Amino acid sequence: MSVVSSVPLAVTLFDAASVLHAFGPWVLLGIAVLVFIESGVLFPFLPGDSLLVTAAIISGTLGIAPWQVAVVAAIAAVAGDQVGYWLGKGYGRRLFRDDARVLTTARLAEAEAFFTRWGGLSLVIGRFVPVVRTYVPLAAGTAQMHYRRFLLYNVVGAVSWAVGLTVVGVLLGGIPLVAHDIDALMIVIVLVSVLPVVIGAVRRRHVARSGR
C-alpha cells in the first residue's frame, strides 16, 4: 500500500499527531515530504513547526528517534529551499498573480521586503516564520543572490530550525502534563506559529486603509 493511500481522508494536515501516525512505518519519509513541500514547492499551508515538535514528543510511539527527525527535516528543508531559490532565479515574479489563491504578488512582495531588510539572515530568521519561510528562498533567487552565499545561510537556517524545534519537542515531552495533553499543546503551537502571519496581515490591511 502506498504512503498516500494509507493516509485516511479524515486526517487534517493541521493535526500533526494524526498525520504522523497515519504515515505508519513511512513516518520519516512523510516528514521529509511535508517539509520539502512547505519549503520549496510554494505551498506554505503545512504543519512545519508543529510537525517537528510533535514528532519529537511522540517519537517513542512512532518507532523513531528525535535525532532522526532533526536530520531528515534539516535535509528536506535544505533541499526544498534549493528548489525555491532556483524557481525564483529562473522565473521570478512571473509565477505570481494578483488574483491567485496561493502564489499572490502580495505574498511575494512581503517576502522580498523581508529579504531586503535582513539580507542573508532572512533565510535563517524567516525559517522560523510560517509562510515567510516558503517565499524567502524564492525572493533570494529573484534578487539573484550569489548561490554560495545563499547555500551557506540556507544550511544554517534549515539546521537551526530542524534541530531547535526537535530539541523543544524533546524537552516538552519530558513534562508529564504535556505528554498526556498533546492536543492542547499542538493548538498552542499552531497559534504561536501563525501569529506573525496574522500580525503581518493586520499591518498590511492597516497600511492599505491609511493610504486611502
Side-chain angles (χ1 to χ4, degrees):
M1 183 178 293
S2 68
V3 174
V4 174
S5 62
S6 67
V7 179
L9 294 177
V11 172
T12 65
L13 287 175
F14 291 101
D15 186 351
S18 295
V19 171
L20 290 166
H21 281 296
F23 281 126
W26 303 97
V27 62
L28 289 175
L29 176 61
I31 292 172
V33 170
L34 291 182
V35 171
F36 176 81
I37 291 175
E38 187 197 25
S39 301
V41 193
L42 306 182
F43 190 78
F45 309 112
L46 291 174
D49 297 335
S50 60
L51 188 76
L52 298 193
V53 174
T54 305
I57 292 176
I58 63 175
S59 57
T61 62
L62 294 173
I64 58 177
W67 69 265
Q68 292 177 306
V69 175
V71 170
V72 167
I75 293 174
V78 170
D81 281 0
Q82 297 294 307
V83 173
Y85 173 83
W86 290 109
L87 282 175
K89 198 173 182 67
Y91 299 95
R93 302 183 69 86
R94 286 178 291 172
L95 292 170
F96 295 78
R97 300 197 314 271
D98 291 339
D99 59 348
R101 290 188 176 184
V102 178
L103 303 182
T104 65
T105 52
R107 286 201 178 99
L108 177 60
E110 182 179 353
E112 288 176 333
F114 191 84
F115 177 76
T116 300
R117 179 179 180 182
W118 296 103
L121 282 177
S122 63
L123 293 162
V124 179
I125 300 172
R127 169 51 64 178
F128 293 85
V129 183
V131 180
V132 172
R133 64 168 159 259
T134 301
Y135 294 107
V136 166
L138 190 87
T142 302
Q144 302 296 313
M145 181 180 187
H146 193 279
Y147 179 70
R148 289 186 180 178
R149 186 163 177 259
F150 165 80
L151 182 61
L152 172 63
Y153 283 108
N154 173 204
V155 172
V156 171
V159 172
S160 300
W161 175 72
V163 173
L165 290 181
T166 302
V167 170
V168 168
V170 170
L171 295 176
L172 290 175
I175 303 175
L177 180 62
V178 171
H180 289 88
D181 197 7
I182 191 171
D183 290 339
L185 174 64
M186 288 307 99
I187 293 175
V188 173
I189 291 176
V190 170
L191 289 176
V192 172
S193 297
V194 302
L195 187 59
V197 180
V198 174
I199 293 175
V202 172
R203 285 181 176 176
R204 287 196 301 271
R205 180 170 296 182
H206 177 70
V207 170
R209 288 181 176 179
S210 299
R212 292 178 180 176

